[in-house]
Amino acid sequence: MKRKRIAAAALLIALLVAISTTGCAGILYATLTGGPPRTEERGESGSVEGGLADSPELEDEPQSTGTGAPSGLPEAERAPEAALTGQPLETGEEAQPPESESPARPPTAWPQLPETPAPPPPPPVIPVESITLDAADITIDRHSEHKLAHTVSPEDATDKTVSYISSDRTVATVTNSGVVYAAGAGTAVIQCISASGDVSASCNVTVIVPVRSLSISVNRSVYKTDEEFSFTVGVQPEDATDKTYTVSLDNTDAADLDGSEVTCVSSGIATITATASNGVTASREIRIVDLVELADEVFRLTNAERQNNGLADFSRNSALSAAAVTRAKESAVHFSHTRPDGRDCFTAFDESGVSYGRAAENIAYGQTTPAEVVAGWMNSPGHRANILNPNLGSLGIGAELDGNGRLYWAQAFTD
């Protein structure tokens, strides 16, 4: 009997140790003993302290041959064993849960959140159908700009963004706002492309180098009748795309024009004008003089000075005029009262067959009109004395034009 009690106690202790790992040792103890739950403490070695260690020593009881609880135990001690085996108590009452267990709680109800409304459907995509530029072909000068304008259809297209590209940036560049810059002479194609890349429009760009200025070059600005001369027209810049031009002469009575050749016909002022294809012009004024007419006017003005001073007019002598023309030409070569060969100026008189007792000479150069040269002589004492010499009565006049367009003048006086 004593051995049976020891075996039962060992079994209870093993069960208590196993259940203590789940934290239910106190509940089990309370169930087995019918008393309140006991506090369990674990030592460092993991053994159970307390529990049945303080129970009184069990006495041997006769072994029962039945399947129920050991018959030798009191009824109060058999009830827990029945609870361990899951069998109903002998009194027929249902097993009650330990007093230490809490009643079951109802499930917690979470607050309901407001439902998020569904987003509206995206608007339909309206594609670009066409792009139109305000010009299909443009011609612009190098280093200038031109603004292209575009129209996207339909007006309510979803994405009306466009971009511009150039086929040759050495000829023309373009910004995304459509500003075309002419970089160099040539042709290029500017395209305006939709954001999707499948719709575009194009403009052909021709960049030219325009004529900026013209110039007319001639040997001199004064020519004499029956003289022919040529001129040249310069075009700037030299790499102008179109260097063609036309020329005209405004005074066809004074000169004839044949291409770049001019034939002087009579005295007067003639203006040569060159006009480039882009409208740029240049002009050059030409003076044509008749040397005989100049000499006649000098003779008239000289006699006017004589009249103003109470003297008789000079008479005109053809032989003396021939000598004066010779001296005007020689002065253009060597301006001096000594002839180019070193002889005295009056030897020219002799060569023309002029007979004289008294003789004098006035020469001048650089004056452009008869009035100017006569005024210059009258302002020079020596020249004035010859003009107003009462002992001189015959006068010859000569005029000459040198290769630089400068006029030379000569007066030959005899008694």
Side-chain angles (χ1 to χ4, degrees), residues 170-247:
T170 64
V171 174
T173 62
V174 63
T175 67
N176 274 334
S177 61
V179 178
V180 179
Y181 174 75
T187 59
V189 177
I190 301 299
Q191 282 190 303
C192 180
I193 306 173
S194 65
S196 63
D198 55 356
V199 180
S200 65
S202 63
C203 175
N204 299 315
V205 178
T206 300
V207 177
I208 64 171
V209 180
V211 173
R212 299 297 183 187
S213 64
L214 299 175
S215 59
I216 300 175
S217 299
V218 294
N219 292 332
R220 57 184 188 266
S221 59
V222 181
Y223 292 87
K224 54 188 177 182
T225 55
D226 298 329
E227 190 173 7
E228 295 181 357
F229 67 92
S230 62
F231 62 89
T232 59
V233 176
V235 180
Q236 292 79 33
E238 293 184 356
D239 62 344
T241 304
D242 185 358
K243 300 175 71 172
T244 61
Y245 57 86
T246 59
V247 292

Side-chain angles (χ1 to χ4, degrees), residues 6 31 48 73 138 156-157 166 172 175 188 223 227 277 315 326 389 406:
I6 293 173
T31 302
V48 177
L73 293 176
I138 59 173
D156 59 348
S166 170
T175 67
Y223 292 87
E227 190 173 7
S277 59
S315 62
T326 299
N389 189 336
R406 185 164 49 184

